[in-house]
Amino acid sequence: MKTLRSLVGVFLFFCLMSLPANSQDKPKRGPSTPEERQAAVEIATYLENNPLGKDAKDKRTLVMRFLIEVPDISVSVCPAIFGPAKEFKGDYETELVVQSAISQAKFIILNPEKAKDKEAVQLAGARGTLTAWKAIKTQKPKAKFKLLDALLEKESNGTLIEFLKSNVSNCN
């Protein structure tokens, strides 16, 4: 089961990586509405705090579909911000990769003037992912994700933001 889940996670990751990078490549539809953006922010916040909630999977799917369809919000998933991309492996990795994208979208919606600030957007995605990881660890204390646990340590000793900023250059 773990192998199948990992394969699904890898597949989803590559699907996310192939999301259109700019609005010209996205399917034709109008820009997001204020109501859609508000709903996306609410869902993103919910997922950061309840990544394993009974309706979390459906909510993730809803937001990801929204991000694929709208021409005015673009995210770029980059596990390398956390450290070596090949080490981004652990329990709930699929949920956490998706959370990065969703948290980036939340940041862009709440801070439209910073939508082009790659560093700020990536940092917001990383923070949202770590918030979700903390919530997972609270609910499932035996969950393992070595790289994210190391980042929680950096957060507690005050070196997290510097570390993440040093890795933003590894993101396209």
Side-chain angles (χ1 to χ4, degrees), residues 48-156:
E48 287 170 353
N49 296 302
N50 303 289
L52 302 179
K54 68 177 184 166
D55 55 350
K57 181 178 177 182
D58 291 338
K59 289 181 182 290
R60 268 190 287 280
T61 300
L62 183 68
V63 174
M64 290 310 297
R65 185 174 298 130
F66 165 73
L67 291 176
I68 291 167
E69 291 175 358
V70 297
D72 57 326
I73 302 171
S74 292
V75 298
S76 175
V77 177
C78 179
I81 192 170
F82 299 101
K86 66 182 180 199
E87 292 181 22
F88 195 87
K89 296 179 181 153
D91 295 334
Y92 305 101
E93 70 186 80
T94 301
E95 293 85 348
L96 294 163
V97 167
V98 173
Q99 187 60 54
S100 178
I102 292 171
S103 293
Q104 286 179 36
K106 174 184 170 182
F107 177 82
I108 290 167
I109 292 166
L110 294 175
N111 303 279
E113 73 285 356
K114 294 183 180 180
K116 302 278 188 216
D117 184 341
K118 178 175 131 178
E119 181 178 279
V121 172
Q122 288 294 332
L123 288 173
R127 283 189 202 109
T129 301
L130 287 174
T131 298
W133 179 239
K134 286 184 223 173
I136 289 171
K137 292 286 283 184
T138 298
Q139 192 173 350
K140 303 279 186 175
K142 293 183 181 180
K144 303 276 188 242
F145 206 121
K146 186 177 177 180
L147 187 63
L148 295 183
D149 286 336
L151 293 181
L152 291 179
E153 222 174 279
K154 288 183 184 304
E155 183 179 52
S156 69

Side-chain angles (χ1 to χ4, degrees), residues 2-84:
K2 174 89 170 143
T3 302
L4 177 60
R5 187 168 178 204
S6 293
L7 289 174
V8 169
V10 169
F11 174 73
L12 180 59
F13 171 74
F14 282 109
C15 288
L16 289 173
M17 292 303 288
S18 67
L19 286 176
N22 59 47
S23 61
Q24 298 96 305
D25 297 335
K26 290 189 178 182
K28 301 291 183 214
R29 76 149 261 183
S32 60
T33 66
E35 296 79 19
E36 288 173 319
R37 291 189 299 274
Q38 179 181 351
V41 167
E42 289 171 4
I43 292 171
T45 302
Y46 172 84
L47 291 171
E48 287 170 353
N49 296 302
N50 303 289
L52 302 179
K54 68 177 184 166
D55 55 350
K57 181 178 177 182
D58 291 338
K59 289 181 182 290
R60 268 190 287 280
T61 300
L62 183 68
V63 174
M64 290 310 297
R65 185 174 298 130
F66 165 73
L67 291 176
I68 291 167
E69 291 175 358
V70 297
D72 57 326
I73 302 171
S74 292
V75 298
S76 175
V77 177
C78 179
I81 192 170
F82 299 101

